[in-house]
Amino acid sequence: MTGTSAGDAQAGTAATENTGPGTTGAGTTDPGTTATGPAAIHAVRRARLAGALREHEVAAALVTWPVNVRYLTGLGSSNAAVLVTATGEAALATDSRYLETAQAVCSGVEVIEDRDVAGALLKRGPGAARVAVEADHMPVGLFQRLSAEHAGLGPVSGLVEAVRAVKDEGEIAALRRACAITDEAFSLVVERIAPGVTEREIARWLEAAMVELGADKPAFDSIVASGPNGSIPHHSPSDRPVERGDLVTMDFGARYDGYHADMTRTVAVGPPAAWQRDLYDLVRQAQRAGRHAVRPGATAHEVDAAARDVIAEAGHAERFGHGLGHGVGLEIHELPFLGPGRTGRLEDRVPITVEPGVYLPGRGGVRIEDTLVTRGDGPELLTLTTKELLVL
């Protein structure tokens, strides 16, 4: 699933100017550190965040974004917050609906019952010391209210997200299973695609198959774009029936144990025209170049350019308007983002997508996307569906 546009080089990068997207940062705990059991895993994650706080000379971080609270404590809820100090201590606040669950799953964390979760934690926090809040997530009204009571609050962008970018092997295992479900769902549904079925039907089949195969739910609203609709990267499935001679692009994924897969395949319904096959071969070549550029130490810009240059040399630079890819994990779009102007270097164990596309208004388009993980000995491909052009 495409993330930001090719020209959007700033969103989601502020926290990575010092550490780079997908980096642990000096002084933090390596996510590859052996940890057994949920409590130990969450303690390692909080220790990595504490290291980042020391780098930023911040006494504590008030984390309110539900995804980040779950990442640091194991608690999934609609009303919880966690305060993590630079020395590694942590306290979590939630209301009565989640209290018993929090007490069961948040080992090693002080649990407080209070509906005003952020306010309760600040009252027990580090006094007038500087406390970071999540600039990308905290509502302005809440920040203003809390700032009136605690002068040391300061917005910081992406502190937890930068820690989350590098995955432990347990997270990668969940992503691997999510991708396997995605692959299997495609293999079941692609046999049913024929002239007369609608985009909306194909999307429903994909999503139902993923759930039946064990997914929590679809990772996002599936994209199915047929014929001329293929020129719209994020087309919403419609009642348009597939026609013989169409290219059909399907962008979808399974969520498993909270972790999001992302894959795109484009198929031909009936023998493809010469321009369709040429376009497919071009995008496939670009996608291969992008995948081969993925390695620890590569910059986000370099990986994007490896694929983008192939498309530009074929004369279609203006028809590839979005970034090459993005991180995946507990969210479908997370750090790092690959695109022109993106900063930072990839690290080991960073799951990302590689998804170039070329879109021709009025005619159609092609996108091919895989989820893969950076590894020192070459990227590990998680989505294994063939990238040969399937002719149905």
Side-chain angles (χ1 to χ4, degrees):
M1 184 181 186
T2 61
T4 56
S5 68
D8 182 8
Q10 297 303 319
T13 63
T16 65
E17 292 301 319
N18 294 326
T19 62
T23 64
T24 57
T28 62
T29 304
D30 190 324
T33 301
T34 300
T36 58
I41 290 169
H42 295 129
V44 167
R45 295 172 180 175
R46 294 193 299 272
R48 294 175 61 211
L49 176 58
L53 295 177
R54 293 193 293 273
E55 289 177 1
H56 285 77
E57 299 181 345
V58 175
L62 176 63
V63 178
T64 54
W65 185 238
V67 172
N68 290 339
V69 173
R70 171 186 164 162
Y71 177 78
L72 294 169
T73 68
L75 178 67
S77 81
S78 63
N79 187 39
V82 61
L83 186 76
V84 179
T85 71
T87 58
E89 298 171 326
L92 177 137
T94 190
D95 62 54
S96 60
R97 296 171 296 168
Y98 303 104
L99 181 62
E100 187 174 347
T101 302
Q103 291 169 335
V105 304
C106 300
S107 179
V109 177
E110 180 186 5
V111 176
I112 302 164
E113 180 185 358
D114 198 306
R115 189 157 187 83
D116 179 16
V117 293
L121 289 172
L122 285 177
K123 289 175 183 177
R124 305 166 71 97
R130 187 181 175 206
V131 175
V133 298
E134 297 174 289
D136 300 317
H137 305 301
M138 180 171 281
V140 173
L142 177 59
F143 177 72
Q144 291 174 335
R145 176 173 69 82
L146 295 175
S147 295
E149 302 168 1
H150 192 290
L153 287 190
V156 179
S157 181
L159 268 178
V160 182
E161 286 81 357
V163 173
R164 279 174 39 203
V166 180
K167 306 297 191 285
D168 60 49
E169 292 299 337
E171 293 178 285
I172 294 172
L175 280 167
R176 193 179 292 116
R177 180 59 188 146
C179 289
I181 291 170
T182 303
D183 282 326
E184 192 170 350
F186 178 84
S187 70
L188 293 173
V189 170
V190 73
E191 300 174 349
R192 304 174 66 181
I193 299 174
V197 304
T198 68
E199 295 171 344
R200 203 184 308 274
E201 286 176 317
I202 297 170
R204 284 201 302 263
W205 293 342
L206 287 168
E207 293 176 355
M210 289 186 288
V211 173
E212 289 171 4
L213 290 166
D216 304 339
K217 63 179 184 178
F220 52 91
D221 291 337
S222 300
I223 297 168
V224 178
S226 64
N229 291 338
S231 69
I232 306 170
H234 275 197
H235 172 70
S236 295
S238 71
D239 290 324
R240 181 189 186 275
V242 171
E243 299 177 4
R244 185 175 175 83
D246 280 351
L247 292 175
V248 180
T249 296
M250 291 159 282
D251 186 341
F252 64 104
R255 194 185 86 169
Y256 179 79
D257 197 22
Y259 285 81
H260 297 69
D262 199 353
M263 183 176 82
T264 305
R265 292 294 185 268
T266 300
V267 301
V269 180
W275 73 268
Q276 292 173 321
R277 187 171 289 280
D278 289 346
L279 192 65
Y280 189 93
D281 290 343
L282 171 64
V283 174
R284 186 180 177 194
Q285 180 184 356
Q287 207 260 357
R288 183 188 302 113
R291 284 189 288 112
H292 289 176
V294 171
R295 66 186 185 282
T299 68
H301 170 74
E302 288 170 348
V303 178
D304 177 88
R308 193 171 301 277
D309 289 351
V310 173
I311 292 172
E313 289 169 5
H316 287 300
E318 295 183 358
R319 300 305 180 190
F320 176 25
H322 56 76
L324 180 65
H326 53 87
V328 291
L330 287 171
E331 295 180 284
I332 189 58
H333 294 128
E334 57 182 59
L335 292 176
F337 292 93
L338 308 178
R342 294 290 184 175
T343 60
R345 296 182 181 274
L346 296 178
E347 292 292 309
D348 195 24
R349 298 185 303 276
V350 176
I352 57 171
T353 67
V354 174
E355 49 181 308
V358 176
Y359 312 96
L360 306 180
R363 303 180 74 187
V366 173
R367 184 165 67 253
I368 302 172
E369 174 187 19
D370 284 310
T371 298
L372 55 155
V373 181
T374 56
R375 299 286 193 182
D377 56 355
E380 177 188 355
L381 191 62
L382 299 186
T383 44
L384 304 178
T385 296
T386 182
K387 286 176 280 291
E388 296 282 347
L389 177 58
L390 297 180
V391 180
L392 310 178

